[in-house]
C-alpha cells in the first residue's frame, strides 16, 4: 500500500530530524560546545566560556586561552602544547592523559581536576591551584610550581620548586 509506505517514511524522517545535531569544529565557543577530535591549533579563545565543553582528543596547541572558563570540561587526550592558559578555570574538569607540554598555566584553577597520566613537561604552574587534583601518573618533569597550592589545599610550593612541590 503506497499510503502506508509514505506515512512510514515521513515518520522516520520526522524522527531523524528530531535527533540533536552534533556540533561541528567550526561552531563558536560556548558552554557545552562539542569539539571532540577537532583541530583548533593557534585559536584565540581568551576568556571564552567553555563550561562543560566536550574536548576529547582536541588539538589546542599554541592557543590563546587566558582567563577561559573550562569548568567541568571533558578533555581527556586533549593537546594544550605551548598554549597560554593563564588564569584559566579548569575546576572539576577531566584532563586524563591531556598534554600540557610547555603550556603556561600561571594562576590557573585546577581544583578537583582529573590529571591522571597528564603530561605537564616544562609547564608553568606558578601560583596555580591544584587543590583536590588527581595526579597519579602525571608527568611533572621540569614543571615550575612556584607559589602553587598543592593538592591538599594547604601547602604552597616554595619559590624554586621545579618538578615537585617543595
Amino acid at each position: 500500500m503506497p499510503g502506508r509506505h509514505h506515512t512510514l517514511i515521513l515518520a522516520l524522517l520526522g524522527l531523524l530530524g528530531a535527533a540533536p545535531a552534533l556540533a561541528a569544529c567550526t561552531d563558536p565557543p560556548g558552554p557545552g560546545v562539542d569539539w571532540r577530535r577537532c583541530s583548533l591549533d593557534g585559536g584565540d579563545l581568551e576568556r571564552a566560556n567553555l563550561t562543560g565543553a566536550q574536548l576529547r582528543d582536541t588539538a589546542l596547541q599554541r592557543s590563546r586561552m587566558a582567563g577561559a572558563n573550562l569548568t567541568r570540561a571533558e578533555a581527556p587526550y586533549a593537546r594544550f602544547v605551548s598554549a597560554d592558559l593563564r588564569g584559566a578555570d579548569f575546576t572539576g574538569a577531566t584532563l586524563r592523559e591531556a598534554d600540557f607540554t610547555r603550556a603556561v598555566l600561571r594562576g590557573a584553577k585546577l581544583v578537583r581536576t582529573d590529571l591522571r597520566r597528564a603530561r605537564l613537561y616544562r609547564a608553568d604552574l606558578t601560583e596555580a591551584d591544584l587543590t583536590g587534583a588527581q595526579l597519579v601518573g602525571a608527568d611533572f618533569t621540569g614543571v615550575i610550581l612556584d607559589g602553587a597550592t598543592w593538592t591538599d589545599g594547604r601547602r604552597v610550593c616554595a619559590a624554586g620548586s621545579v618538578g615537585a612541590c617543595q
Side-chain angles (χ1 to χ4, degrees), residues 6-74:
H6 181 70
T7 303
L8 180 60
I9 289 173
L10 287 176
L12 287 172
L13 287 173
L15 286 173
L16 291 173
L22 292 176
C25 295
T26 57
D27 283 353
V33 71
D34 187 345
W35 283 341
R36 286 177 282 191
R37 290 176 290 284
C38 293
S39 179
L40 303 168
D41 292 341
D44 185 357
L45 296 166
E46 279 196 46
R47 304 198 194 302
N49 183 354
L50 299 171
T51 302
Q54 297 296 317
L55 303 172
R56 178 185 203 82
D57 199 27
T58 297
L60 291 152
Q61 299 172 144
R62 296 173 314 284
S63 294
R64 293 172 307 283
M65 301 178 74
N69 183 347
L70 292 131
T71 57
R72 298 182 317 280
E74 294 290 325

Side-chain angles (χ1 to χ4, degrees), residues 106 120 122-128 130 140-150 155-166:
R106 288 175 163 261
L120 293 138
R122 296 186 62 198
D124 184 352
L125 273 73
T126 300
E127 297 181 1
L130 292 157
F140 269 74
T141 305
V143 174
I144 300 167
L145 291 162
D146 293 356
T149 302
W150 198 241
R155 187 168 72 174
V156 176
C157 304
S161 292
V162 176
C165 186
Q166 305 297 322

